[in-house]
Amino acid sequence: MRILVTGGAGFIGSHLCDRLLADGHEVIAMDNLRTGSVDNIAHLAGNSRFRFVKHDVTNYIFLDGPIDAVLHLASLPSPVDYLNMPIQTLKVGALGTHKTLGLALTKGARYLLASTSEVYGDPLVHPQTEEYWGNVNPIGPRGVYDESKRFAEALTMAYQRYHGVDTRIARIFNTYGPRMRADDGRVVPNFVCQALRGDPLTVYDDGARTRGFCYIDDLIEGAVRLLYSTETGPVNLGNPDEITILDLARQVLTLTGSDSQVEFVTPADARTADDPKVRCPDISRARRVLGWEPQVPLADGLGRTIAYFRAKLGTGQQSPS
Ligand code: UDP
């Protein structure tokens, strides 16, 4: 297949490019490099089946030749980013989804939307199944991200129903691993970088909120299985191994061997406004239709992520064996 990956220079997008190339496809990565980085795709530079196009997908997309699949990953999924760039967040979720769906329609391509567990908001159903409609505050600071993705899902379904586009919707839960930005603001890079630098680990409020953390390799496996499948409804992709943020901090301290302390802080900005108290994917559908479930235990995935940030930050210290 000849595949377009928007957000192809980002964390998940670049890993997806690697996997699609390994599967024998031709890949065009598109990114405006607002939060993505060419460092994430530099290793693909000599690959004749890979091409990078710098473009903002909220503007009209013109691509020559056939396209068999469009994977819309371009997004600003970090709370820090969407608080700093609220209008770009809405635009890439709404206008970017419109442009990429339009391209898929023109080219007769299959379409995969990277949606999010944020469509469930601060959930009143736990764990979250795909049938749950969510509990989102449309006018809160997180609304710019949540509502753009809810709109993106609605638009994707409209293109499926009205235009017959062959669509997929991946609802991606918290994912972590190499190529996240050190300053991304999300909890795993924050804690790992804080631990490696010997800084306090900033646990927001009381650290009792819960998440399940999916290692990037597992997520990519789920995403490509969904792309190759015939499943047109939304599918949760995430790790149901739920832990508190305080426990995550303790694990990071153990695995890095850091002397850092845990510091309970209440951010002065809107970072924790409407922050979901609990989140855990029900992955029954992914198990059933994709035969997929995460394989990488948190300690292993964190170990690989710590090694990545150690090299990136240039902290020579070794992990305890
Ligand atoms: N969090 C934290 N300290 C940090 C960053 C995040 O305690 O330095 C918390 C945050 O309040 C949330 C959880 O960790 O409850 C996960 O946050 P993240 O930004 O990684 O992703 P989210 O699940 O909110 O999209």
Side-chain angles (χ1 to χ4, degrees):
M1 289 198 283
R2 189 163 184 255
I3 302 177
L4 172 68
V5 179
T6 75
F11 162 51
I12 297 180
S14 65
H15 283 282
L16 202 47
C17 291
D18 287 348
R19 170 59 189 268
L20 294 169
L21 288 165
D23 284 1
H25 304 297
E26 193 181 327
V27 175
I28 302 163
M30 187 171 276
D31 205 302
N32 68 353
L33 301 179
R34 187 83 195 217
T35 55
S37 167
V38 286
D39 292 351
N40 292 335
I41 49 169
H43 61 287
L44 300 175
N47 190 322
S48 59
R49 284 184 288 113
F50 180 75
R51 196 175 127 206
F52 173 67
V53 177
K54 186 171 184 296
H55 181 72
D56 179 339
V57 293
T58 65
N59 298 314
Y60 188 86
I61 302 167
F62 181 80
L63 281 177
D64 265 331
I67 298 285
D68 303 298
V70 174
L71 280 55
H72 184 35
L73 277 283
S75 186
L76 293 163
S78 163
V80 171
D81 288 340
Y82 57 72
L83 293 174
N84 287 335
M85 296 178 266
I87 297 169
Q88 289 94 332
T89 302
L90 281 157
K91 284 175 72 178
V92 71
L95 306 182
T97 303
H98 187 223
K99 297 292 177 285
T100 50
L101 276 164
L103 180 74
L105 175 62
T106 305
K107 302 284 186 182
R110 183 173 297 180
Y111 185 88
L112 184 143
L113 173 70
S115 185
T116 169
S117 53
E118 285 281 339
V119 300
Y120 301 122
D122 190 3
L124 305 176
V125 167
H126 189 71
Q128 294 77 55
T129 60
E130 289 87 351
E131 284 75 30
Y132 179 48
W133 291 354
N135 176 41
V136 171
N137 174 4
I139 58 164
R142 276 180 185 253
V144 296
Y145 183 63
D146 301 8
E147 296 296 2
S148 78
K149 289 292 190 180
R150 289 168 66 95
F151 175 87
E153 288 200 7
L155 196 60
T156 300
M157 292 308 295
Y159 268 69
Q160 181 191 117
R161 293 189 183 113
Y162 187 77
H163 286 306
V165 175
D166 185 20
T167 63
R168 310 280 181 275
I169 297 175
R171 288 190 180 150
I172 301 174
F173 285 63
N174 296 66
T175 300
Y176 72 99
R179 300 188 196 158
M180 291 185 97
R181 281 163 29 226
D183 65 350
D184 164 288
R186 277 178 293 182
V187 69
V188 171
N190 269 13
F191 285 178
V192 169
C193 293
Q194 288 162 345
L196 292 176
R197 290 179 175 129
D199 294 337
L201 270 59
T202 53
V203 171
Y204 298 158
D205 304 326
D206 60 0
R209 294 190 184 99
T210 68
R211 300 287 189 272
F213 293 93
C214 187
Y215 189 65
I216 183 67
D217 293 2
D218 282 332
L219 189 277
I220 294 297
E221 182 63 36
V224 295
R225 284 191 192 202
L226 178 60
L227 175 69
Y228 300 153
S229 79
T230 55
E231 180 61 42
T232 56
V235 178
N236 287 342
L237 295 177
N239 193 318
D241 198 358
E242 185 183 7
I243 64 165
T244 67
I245 298 304
L246 181 57
D247 279 343
L248 177 72
R250 290 191 180 121
Q251 279 222 40
V252 169
L253 288 178
T254 307
L255 292 166
T256 52
S258 169
D259 295 331
S260 293
Q261 303 294 309
V262 165
E263 190 173 88
F264 293 94
V265 296
T266 300
D269 61 16
R271 230 173 302 172
T272 52
D274 302 326
D275 190 4
K277 287 179 270 307
V278 291
R279 177 184 293 155
C280 179
D282 180 319
I283 58 165
S284 311
R285 183 176 292 178
R287 281 197 177 102
R288 193 176 66 250
V289 300
L290 308 178
W292 175 86
E293 64 182 359
Q295 304 293 326
V296 182
L298 184 59
D300 291 1
L302 282 177
R304 295 183 218 175
T305 308
I306 290 164
Y308 170 80
F309 280 113
R310 224 189 261 291
K312 194 110 186 136
L313 303 179
T315 53
Q317 188 196 353
Q318 293 301 306
S319 295
S321 53

